[in-house]
Amino acid sequence: MLKKHKNLSPPLTLLVEVMTNSTIKMMKINSIANLNQETLALTKRLFLQLIRRPSTLFAGILQPLIWLILFGALFSNAPEGLLPGGMNYGTFLGAGVIVFTAFSGALNAGLPVMFDREFGFLNRLLVAPLESRNSIIFSSIIYITSISILQSLAIMFTASFLGYGWPGIGGLFVVVITLLILVFAVTALSLGLAFALPGHIELIAVIFVVNLPLLFASTALAPISFMPSWLGWLAAVNPLTFAIEPIRAAYSGPLNLANVLIQAPYGDLNGYGCLSVLIGLTIGLFILISPLLNRKLS
Amino acid sequence: MHVIDTQELVKSYGPVKALKGLNLQIPKGCLYGLLGPNGAGKTTTLRILCTLLAPDSGKVLIAGINALQDPRSVRKEIGYVAQEVAIDKILSGRELLQLQADLYHLNNLEKEDRINKLIARLQMSEWIDRRCGTYSGGMKRKLDLAAGLIHKPKVLILDEPTVGLDIESRSSIWQLIKELRDQGTTILISSHYLEEIEFLSDRMAIIDDGRVIAEGSPEHLKQELGGDRVTLKVREFSSQDESEKVKQLVQSVEGVRQVVVNKSQGYSLNLVIEKEEVLNRLRNKVLEAEYQVFTLTQSRPSLDDVYLQATGRTLMDAELAVSTQRDLKKESKQSMR
Ligand SMILES: Nc1ncnc2c1ncn2[C@@H]1O[C@H](COP(=O)(O)OP(=O)(O)OP(=O)(O)O)[C@@H](O)[C@H]1O
Ligand SMILES: [Mg+2]
């Protein structure tokens, strides 16, 4: 900047410098405002779609509630003390259902993007001078995260209503943090799929195939100690398990993340370990998928 | 200076060569028509201009900005209305315009003002607050056009904006386009309707098979052909053989130029005569050779003749030829981003 004005007198150079710095600053503020504006507008669109087509939201809340009520009832007369820590089955299941709900909600994050690709709406966004095309991604993440949290809270209220307990304040904090990490990871995955797969049929197929097996091969419905060793292995490497166990711990009385939460075939893992694995997974997925998103979006 | 300037654009989709070295120079404030049959490469060209697509090679300058190096600056200058209407069924028209305004970073005041003006100008107030899913084809097109105009673009790119519309909607869109040109907007419009390009454009290019094959003002192009058009038939439906023979014959008549066999009109002959008198000489020559004269009509050159002259086939023929070859579903899949 300064070189250009070499032949100006020193005070003038200073003035020029101050002015260019402040314009740069203003441009930065401006571009943050732009980013805000476009991200908000895109998020608003997603929420309008949701409000006007609320059936997916209701189904997303109803389905886990049915799980909770029916499955919870299924084992309600099982002998006491069967589950680790003498938990009743409803409480045990609650954590699984919360995680599963957030997980399947986030897995669907790619669908609206896929439809936008198919109907040419994405082109409308791509010819616009967006400050950053990441705002398309941000809006999806904001949308899915709020929905997942909303759905999970609905389930937690119902669970407590059914007498399955309520995590304390600290517990609630752990629940929300855990869910957020999981939702980020799965949303990234789903958006990546939405750009990598040829159409919504394929995306729905993948969602369909991934969803239930991941549930059954996790500790959502039963502890590892109930499983044959091959399934125990699967459950012990299943990302859902790493989210379920801290939440379950939050429900089972005084929370201490240093306690061993997973007795996996490969060794014991405490709460911090679980969360670290989840965070690592999320970062890994973002690193893996962002080149794909950038390529498709530029 | 040219507001749109492309040089030697080349673009292939796998084995299909869509553009084979396309050059376009469009002056400021010009309403420029791009005429070509289905599959000529119009949409491909326009998508490259609005930065949706990168060419395999070639240069693109929009308002002096290199579109390949600085696409974002180009996007600010351009309003693009795609061939396929892309609106969100769940939103109302007004909500779509608001979204569009936010994507172009208009502030709240500008936003309201612009939206209200566009609603008034395009007479959308009656239905703008209804959901887009309930709109007719004409309403959708109007809304799409309004969205493209939200930021008062310097350059407006319209891909077949009136295709499939009733006459009334079409002429109201034509009127708007002319109005925008009069206010100084540079407009590039593609179409495969001759009369649309002829009615609207100040300058035009005929593109065929990925190249510009004729360029100029419609008037100029017609004049360049010179002379009157004549259609000759020796019977209602001739065979190709017969027509070729008659072609040999009439080519020898003095004052006859550019004889073409027109397949789409029962192998009639289209030709150009330099003077009025040539018509009689032509008739006599045909009769002498013991052919009959089934029809012999004379007309001023039209844009269709320009097209025929440039490509050796009528626009309609060209359309028919490609419509059988293209897999539209596959294309729309592949053009997904
Ligand atoms: N996404 C695609 N994948 C493969 N081939 C394509 C694709 N898009 C266009 N083509 C081919 O490229 C050529 C030019 O297509 P383009 O869509 O640019 O033509 P057009 O002039 O806009 O036609 P129309 O009048 O039908 O809109 C055609 O041969 C077409 O089949
Ligand atoms: Mg086209």
Side-chain angles (χ1 to χ4, degrees):
Chain A
M1 276 294 155
L2 278 177
K3 270 195 195 135
K4 263 198 228 152
H5 311 288
K6 238 185 337 214
N7 44 5
L8 294 180
S9 63
L12 264 184
T13 330
L14 194 68
L15 187 66
V16 170
E17 190 186 6
V18 168
M19 273 169 56
T20 37
N21 278 351
S22 66
T23 25
I24 288 174
K25 215 179 252 168
M26 267 169 57
M27 276 166 63
K28 266 197 191 138
I29 291 174
N30 209 353
S31 58
I32 289 175
N34 285 349
L35 195 65
N36 248 337
Q37 186 176 13
E38 64 204 31
T39 308
L40 273 182
L42 291 171
T43 314
K44 183 178 161 198
R45 166 170 176 247
L46 292 172
F47 275 103
L48 281 175
Q49 286 179 335
L50 179 75
I51 291 167
R52 292 181 190 166
R53 263 189 312 210
S55 50
T56 46
L57 180 66
F58 289 135
I61 293 180
L62 217 59
Q63 191 208 23
L65 286 186
I66 293 171
W67 281 91
L68 196 64
I69 293 167
L70 288 184
F71 249 86
L74 196 59
F75 295 104
S76 57
N77 289 337
E80 296 225 349
L82 206 58
L83 290 165
M87 212 183 248
N88 76 40
Y89 189 68
T91 311
F92 180 87
L93 184 66
V97 171
I98 291 169
V99 168
F100 179 61
T101 309
F103 170 72
S104 39
L107 204 53
N108 284 318
L111 268 178
V113 175
M114 179 60 98
F115 283 123
D116 278 354
R117 276 179 72 203
E118 289 185 331
F119 288 116
F121 201 88
L122 187 65
N123 285 340
R124 181 184 289 291
L125 312 184
L126 296 184
V127 293
L130 296 184
E131 191 68 38
S132 158
R133 289 179 169 180
N134 282 330
S135 48
I136 301 173
I137 310 284
F138 293 156
S139 63
S140 287
I141 290 182
I142 295 173
Y143 169 75
I144 291 294
T145 313
S146 355
I147 303 230
S148 302
I149 298 292
L150 199 75
Q151 286 177 335
S152 305
L153 284 177
I155 295 161
M156 290 169 74
F157 283 131
T158 318
S160 90
F161 183 73
L162 291 172
Y164 297 156
W166 179 259
I169 292 293
L172 194 62
F173 186 70
V174 169
V175 172
V176 170
I177 293 290
T178 313
L179 288 180
L180 282 181
I181 302 170
L182 181 74
V183 166
F184 285 164
V186 181
T187 302
L189 180 72
S190 183
L191 290 176
L193 287 174
F195 283 105
L197 295 175
H200 74 273
I201 310 253
E202 289 80 0
L203 181 59
I204 290 175
V206 170
I207 292 174
F208 202 74
V209 166
V210 166
N211 219 352
L212 284 185
L214 253 107
L215 173 71
F216 288 124
S218 76
T219 59
L221 307 177
I224 290 181
S225 58
F226 284 20
M227 302 177 186
S229 76
W230 62 269
L231 187 59
W233 264 101
L234 282 181
V237 295
N238 183 339
L240 290 192
T241 301
F242 298 109
I244 291 168
E245 291 308 327
I247 293 180
R248 190 166 279 155
Y251 262 91
S252 73
L255 174 70
N256 186 356
L257 285 178
N259 286 348
V260 169
L261 298 185
I262 303 180
Q263 287 173 319
Y266 49 75
D268 291 348
L269 211 65
N270 66 19
Y272 294 115
C274 288
L275 291 182
S276 314
V277 170
L278 272 187
I279 291 173
L281 180 77
T282 309
I283 294 172
L285 273 174
F286 266 96
I287 290 174
L288 201 73
I289 282 163
S290 70
L292 177 76
L293 296 183
N294 286 337
R295 188 155 45 91
K296 288 284 181 171
L297 285 177
S298 65
Chain B
M1 198 203 66
H2 294 127
V3 170
I4 296 178
D5 187 353
T6 78
Q7 274 159 37
E8 293 299 321
L9 288 186
V10 174
K11 176 75 192 176
S12 303
Y13 300 100
V16 182
K17 285 203 157 184
L19 300 182
K20 302 174 179 172
L22 186 116
N23 297 298
L24 270 185
Q25 275 76 39
I26 301 177
K28 190 167 187 312
C30 182
L31 207 179
Y32 198 97
L34 209 54
L35 178 68
N38 287 131
K42 303 184 294 295
T43 299
T44 306
T45 309
L46 301 190
R47 283 170 150 254
I48 290 175
L49 292 179
C50 71
T51 76
L52 264 183
L53 207 61
D56 300 339
S57 65
K59 268 193 189 161
V60 187
L61 289 179
I62 309 275
I65 309 164
N66 185 331
L68 303 175
Q69 278 165 11
D70 188 3
R72 195 164 163 246
S73 303
V74 166
R75 288 180 199 127
K76 289 183 189 165
E77 310 294 338
I78 287 189
Y80 171 64
V81 182
Q83 186 169 357
E84 314 289 335
V85 177
I87 54 179
D88 186 335
K89 280 196 259 177
I90 299 285
L91 300 183
S92 73
R94 190 187 298 274
E95 284 159 349
L96 185 94
L97 293 178
Q98 284 165 344
L99 172 65
Q100 185 86 5
D102 283 328
L103 297 181
Y104 286 83
H105 311 121
L106 269 57
N107 68 35
N108 281 338
L109 278 178
E110 292 169 330
K111 196 154 101 179
E112 280 315 297
D113 180 54
R114 244 346 245 165
I115 291 175
N116 288 333
K117 280 196 177 129
L118 285 167
I119 291 174
R121 174 59 191 85
L122 283 155
Q123 297 171 327
M124 304 190 290
S125 60
E126 237 172 74
W127 42 267
I128 196 72
D129 289 307
R130 274 178 19 209
R131 295 204 194 160
C132 297
T134 67
Y135 292 177
S136 71
M139 295 171 175
K140 285 183 193 162
R141 288 241 158 226
K142 272 190 184 177
L143 178 63
D144 209 10
L145 191 58
L149 291 173
I150 200 96
H151 59 298
K152 295 192 185 163
K154 288 196 193 112
V155 182
L156 186 60
I157 294 182
L158 306 170
D159 199 354
E160 307 202 16
T162 65
V163 69
L165 289 191
D166 59 283
I167 297 176
E168 203 182 322
S169 317
R170 176 184 291 198
S171 68
S172 82
I173 287 185
W174 282 357
Q175 209 189 336
L176 176 67
I177 292 174
K178 287 207 155 183
E179 211 175 284
L180 289 165
R181 192 265 322 266
D182 292 341
Q183 290 160 10
T185 312
T186 307
I187 303 173
L188 175 58
I189 174 175
S190 85
S191 178
H192 57 249
Y193 295 131
L194 286 167
E195 67 281 9
E196 179 159 78
I197 296 296
E198 183 153 22
F199 175 73
L200 284 177
S201 47
D202 305 322
R203 280 185 84 78
M204 62 174 291
I206 296 180
I207 75 170
D208 189 44
D209 199 21
R211 280 197 193 89
V212 173
I213 53 174
E215 209 271 344
S217 75
E219 276 317 306
H220 177 78
L221 284 176
K222 283 188 281 184
Q223 266 169 25
E224 216 172 37
L225 287 179
D228 280 4
R229 317 277 100 189
V230 168
T231 307
L232 167 69
K233 284 187 181 186
V234 292
R235 67 178 84 235
E236 188 163 12
F237 298 105
S238 298
S239 68
Q240 184 164 9
D241 263 5
E242 186 176 49
S243 293
E244 291 295 341
K245 276 185 202 141
V246 183
K247 179 177 168 183
Q248 297 296 325
L249 185 71
V250 299
Q251 260 170 345
S252 65
V253 178
E254 206 193 314
V256 167
R257 290 191 286 121
Q258 303 165 337
V259 189
V260 203
V261 177
N262 188 344
K263 219 177 1 173
S264 65
Q265 287 171 16
Y267 295 106
S268 65
L269 292 179
N270 293 39
L271 48 92
V272 180
I273 54 169
E274 278 161 7
K275 279 177 288 192
E276 201 70 32
E277 307 94 82
V278 181
L279 203 62
N280 273 331
R281 253 185 274 155
L282 181 71
R283 183 195 305 271
N284 290 340
K285 184 86 174 188
V286 172
L287 292 175
E288 265 167 36
E290 315 235 303
Y291 286 109
Q292 295 192 337
V293 175
F294 182 76
T295 42
L296 186 61
T297 56
Q298 185 185 1
S299 60
R300 306 290 310 154
S302 73
L303 218 43
D304 215 355
D305 297 314
V306 175
Y307 188 82
L308 183 66
Q309 204 55 55
T311 62
R313 52 185 186 166
T314 62
L315 195 52
M316 203 156 66
D317 267 339
E319 306 254 285
L320 285 178
V322 275
S323 64
T324 50
Q325 296 167 2
R326 290 176 75 180
D327 182 351
L328 288 179
K329 265 224 178 104
K330 197 169 144 212
E331 269 173 34
S332 84
K333 268 260 141 109
Q334 285 175 346
S335 62
M336 263 169 49
R337 294 280 303 245

